[in-house]
Structure formats: C-alpha cells, structure tokens
Amino acid sequence: MPDARPDRATAREAIALLTDAAGFTEHRPPPSPLPPDGPLGWAGYDAARERASARTGEEESVVYGTGVVGDRACVLISFEFRFLGGSLGRRTGDRLAAAYELALTRRIPLVALVATGGSRMQEGMVALTQLQRVAAASVRLRAAGLPQIAVVRDPTTGGGWATVGAGADVVLALPGAQVGFAGSRVRPPDADPYAYSAEGQFAAGQVDAVVPADELAAAVTHWLRALGPHGELPAAPVPGALSAGGGEPGAGPGTRSGAGTGSGAATGSGAGTGSGAATGSGAGTGSGAGTPSAADNGPAARLPETGREAVARARDPRRPRAEAYLADYFAVRLPLHGDRSGSTDPGLLCGFGLCADGRPVAYVAQCGTPTRPAGYRAAARTIRLADRLGVPVLTLVDTPGAANDAEAERAGAGAAIADTFAAIAAARVPVTTLVIGEGGSGGALALAAPGNTHVTVDSYFSVIAPEPAAAILKRPPSETGATADQLRLRPQDLVDLGFARSIVG
C-alpha cells in the first residue's frame, strides 16, 4: 500500500496509486554500461549509485512499464526521488526514451509520475542533454496523436519539470508539492515559496488541477477515456437550449427547451424557431441530463421582435449561462486550466468532457464577460490539443467582446485573438458552436465555427455591440436601440444572413 504521504511515495508506491501490482508490468532497456565513475570520471559517483540502489532497491531513478489505469492501458513512468534526487543521467534518459518509444509502438497513452530535482550533476553535460532526448521522444508521441499526462509529485523541479512535467498535454499535481523550474537551493533568497508550489502553479495557469491522492486514480482514468486514442469521432451534437418554463428567459432555473434532431432547422425572419438542434444521445450530466424535461413538450420560445429586444434578452442576468449548458451536456467534465504563459481567465471555461454515452468532446465556453488574452490562449491550446487527438470540439459563445483595457493590450489581446482564429481555421476535427448569449464582434467570432454555428432564441451576434456602434457612427445614446435594429443581429436575422445554421429552442 502507498504510504501516508503520497507526495513522498516511492516510485512503485506512486504507481500503486493508479494501478494495483497485477496491473503493472515493468520494462527495462538493454544494458548500457557507464565508464568508471560515469562519463566525467566523477570521484565517488559509482559508490553514490551503489548506495542509492541499496537504499531504494532500484537500478536507476526511473521505473517504467505498461499498466492499466481504470480500464485503460498506458505506459507508466515513475520517478524514484530517493535515488539521487530523482535526477536525470544518461541511463535515466535511456529509460525515458524507451518508455516513450514503448507508448509509440503500442499506440497507448503515456502517464508520468514525476518527482525529480533535475539533471544529475555528476554526469555534467551528458546528463543535461538527456532533456533533448526526452523532448524529441515527446514530439514523436505528439505527432502520432497519442496523449501524455503528467502527475507532478513533491518535488518536481529543474529539467524534469521543464520536459516530462510541463511538456505533457495535461498536468495534474498532488497537493502541497514543490513544483517549479528553480529548485529550492537555486532560487533567490527572498523568492515567494507559493510561486513554487502546486497551488501557486495552478493559480498561474501552469497546472490543470491539484488532485488529492485518493482521487488521483479516478481523475487519470477519466482523462485517459477523454484523450484517447480514439477512432474517428462524429461532430459534437448541438446542445439543447436551456430556458425557463414557458420558454421565456430568466424566470427560473434553466431547463431544456425544444431540442430536436439537429440536421438543419434554419429559420427565416418571419418564422418561429427551427425544428431544433441536435442533442445527441450522449449529451448530459451525471444527474441524468439528456432526458427530456417538461419544457420539451411546451411551446417554442418566442423570437425577439426587435434588435434592441434581442440585446436585452441576451443581457438578462437570469438567462442560462455556460456553466448550466456544460452541466447539462456532460456527465464528466475535466477542465484545462490556464494559458501556460502565466495567466488565467475565469470568464472562459475549457477542457474535455465525457457525455453520458462516454463520447469525448472538448469544450471552450465564454461566460458572458469580456474575454481576456489568457482566455483566448487557453482556448487555442484546447482546440489544438483536441485536433491533435481527434476529439470534436464544442464552443459556447457569450461575450460582449474581447477585453479592451490597457492591461489586455499589454498582454497581447490582438495576437491571442488571432491565434484563436487560426486554431479554429486549422482544425481538422469538426467544431460545433452554439451562441448562448452575446456575440460581441471579433472577440466572439474567434470562437465561432464557420458553417456550423447555431444560435439560441435569447442570443444576438453583431459586428459590434450597439453602444459602441452608435458611438462610432457619432449618434447620440438615445439612438442605440435604433442602431441595434439596423444591425440585424437577432437570431432569425443571423439565419437569414447565412451566419447561423439554425435557431435552437
């Protein structure tokens, strides 16, 4: 059994957190002898290795092999920190490279349980260049469409963090673990220790989740199911619209309204709503979403008669938001956190989810706030990962526009939005978009799928929001409503203009 402090568990105890002994088969690379006292002839190095081996029972600082986590086969790598600080030497590199090659040959995911102080001093540059070997092996695995998950333990620092750890597709951390490129002995004396913790790295968007040890097996199992590898997957079904009883927005908790089969259902400006958008047998939550509610049998929600009404309905604070749609759509949600550049945007949710039938879908969802550069970078990261792994993408659009403050400009708003446009444009997997509220200019359009965008009855989409549009046209504020009407931003207008495929609800 793992010891009471899994952040300091041995390599094999860490493996046992995910799989029992029968579920792990150790592999070893071919023997590769070192010269006496290593490549540098470092006096006492052989003796230090012998002591480390006697203390740990291991031949090197890494154990690897094949295992089963939950119901998913994978390659497991686990670092033994008590063996020279889990450091990377040439023989460590041999094992890591062999583990990545094993995953590539068998076409299964790689899960790394990392606890390391970095490169091994006694092997000098020979040790340091093992990082290049690991990076090259990781790139080959990425190119083959195979996922990599890292679980960072205490401590994870130096080159091990900068390759096996931070280089993974998904990074999970054990609570309280020391995580950072700079180890404790090489930091500035006044450095904030929080910045080098699992929790601090999560706050900075460098770690996707901090997971308690007793929840780790379930979390990794869900991630393996979501990331694959998979065969060819169909497009993400369009979510059913959420509305209050009677179809009017904001009268109470969101319920499902008017979800149909979703093969088309475009409506004209004079009609009601379309026949609905696809919900799919897998859309739902663990509490049973995907089962039609009473709203399904009620009347279709009324379309807005004017542009100003459409804007007012989209801005109604009682309208169902992204969180409600995601809860209804997925049985399991697995958030990806942060932009990997030191920032997060709480107004944009992204990650992977499992529908009730087990189907994986990646999601990017705006929450009704101005989206910040970190949000766009996180969105692009999610879309590109899903594309590489062959997982369809669902985007939920709801923003008055991109953040336009000075801080956003300094953080690279334009470049981040451009990168999101590029990620959508380059995606080979199908991308499905539902506009659930405000569609404010390019900051919203960056997340919209060309040719596969759908809208709810309480949404609008516009070249720019009515207020700044009136200002640009040098109109008084009293003409904002008339400007909204002229912009033809209602759901039915968006279908007539060819932007939206259907109205959901």
Side-chain angles (χ1 to χ4, degrees):
M1 293 294 292
D3 69 17
R5 293 189 57 198
D7 57 336
R8 290 290 193 183
T10 68
R12 296 177 192 276
E13 287 171 339
I15 290 171
L17 287 172
L18 300 183
T19 180
D20 59 33
F24 176 71
T25 302
E26 186 176 357
H27 288 240
R28 288 181 173 86
S32 178
L34 290 172
D37 280 331
L40 305 186
W42 189 287
Y45 180 44
D46 284 350
R49 287 181 53 85
E50 290 174 4
R51 289 193 299 272
S53 181
R55 181 169 58 251
T56 63
E58 305 294 352
E59 299 173 353
E60 216 0 294
S61 60
V62 160
V63 174
Y64 79 97
T66 54
V68 177
V69 179
D71 56 355
R72 298 286 161 154
C74 62
V75 168
L76 287 160
I77 295 171
S78 190
F79 282 71
E80 178 52 72
F81 187 74
R82 295 184 304 153
F83 192 106
L84 300 179
S87 57
L88 280 72
R90 197 198 74 188
R91 283 180 171 173
T92 322
D94 291 344
R95 289 179 173 231
L96 292 172
Y100 281 88
E101 186 63 28
L102 182 61
L104 185 63
T105 301
R106 299 203 178 184
R107 291 203 55 77
I108 54 178
L110 183 140
V111 178
L113 302 158
V114 190
T116 174
S119 298
R120 192 170 295 170
M121 298 298 100
Q122 297 92 330
E123 294 190 23
M125 285 301 298
V126 173
L128 190 64
T129 57
Q130 302 310 306
L131 305 182
Q132 294 173 320
R133 292 181 71 188
V134 173
S138 176
V139 166
R140 289 192 292 271
L141 213 56
R142 287 172 179 266
L146 296 169
Q148 301 170 50
I149 299 171
V151 177
V152 292
R153 299 149 53 208
D154 184 47
T156 298
T157 62
W161 164 238
T163 52
V164 185
D169 299 317
V170 175
V171 181
L172 310 178
L174 289 174
Q178 179 188 170
V179 181
F181 185 65
S184 59
R185 297 183 183 181
V186 296
R187 298 172 195 157
D190 59 348
D192 178 8
Y194 181 72
Y196 304 89
S197 68
E199 292 75 12
Q201 296 286 5
F202 176 79
Q206 308 289 2
V207 163
D208 293 304
V210 178
V211 183
D214 59 358
E215 299 175 15
L216 189 61
V220 173
T221 298
H222 286 317
W223 273 113
L224 290 172
R225 290 172 179 167
L227 299 180
H230 304 289
E232 186 172 351
L233 295 170
V238 182
L242 299 180
S243 65
E248 293 299 324
T255 57
R256 187 161 329 198
S257 173
T261 59
S263 58
T267 65
S269 60
T273 65
S275 59
T279 60
S281 61
T285 67
S287 59
T291 303
S293 70
D296 289 315
N297 299 318
R302 179 180 61 82
L303 286 167
E305 295 180 2
T306 64
R308 67 194 77 186
E309 181 190 349
V311 173
R313 287 173 63 171
R315 292 176 177 173
D316 187 329
R318 300 165 296 174
R319 169 183 58 77
R321 305 287 167 142
E323 187 65 46
Y325 276 93
L326 294 174
D328 185 67
Y329 195 86
F330 290 113
V332 175
R333 261 194 293 159
L334 303 163
L336 290 172
H337 184 72
D339 65 353
R340 292 299 187 264
S341 296
S343 299
T344 63
D345 180 2
L348 185 133
L349 306 175
C350 57
F352 284 65
L354 297 170
C355 298
D357 65 353
R359 181 190 317 181
V361 174
Y363 64 87
V364 176
Q366 292 170 315
C367 299
T369 58
T371 303
R372 306 202 63 79
Y376 291 112
R377 285 191 288 266
R381 173 197 168 205
T382 302
I383 294 162
R384 289 196 172 103
L385 176 58
D387 189 50
R388 177 159 54 81
L389 299 178
V391 176
V393 178
L394 169 70
T395 66
L396 300 179
V397 170
D398 184 11
T399 180
N404 59 6
D405 54 89
E407 181 183 350
E409 290 298 330
R410 286 192 291 267
I417 295 168
D419 196 41
T420 306
F421 270 116
I424 292 277
R428 296 158 297 180
V429 295
V431 181
T432 302
T433 297
L434 180 63
V435 184
I436 61 172
E438 293 195 76
S441 195
L445 189 66
L447 290 177
N452 196 23
T453 291
H454 307 258
V455 293
T456 63
V457 294
D458 45 8
S459 69
Y460 80 87
F461 218 119
S462 177
V463 64
I464 196 169
E467 295 84 358
I472 291 170
L473 296 170
K474 299 181 180 180
R475 295 176 177 178
S478 60
E479 294 188 25
T480 297
T483 303
D485 295 337
Q486 283 185 288
L487 286 169
R488 295 196 65 193
L489 47 70
R490 301 174 301 167
Q492 58 267 46
D493 296 324
L494 299 172
V495 172
D496 282 350
L497 292 169
F499 172 73
R501 288 183 59 185
S502 75
I503 300 171
V504 177

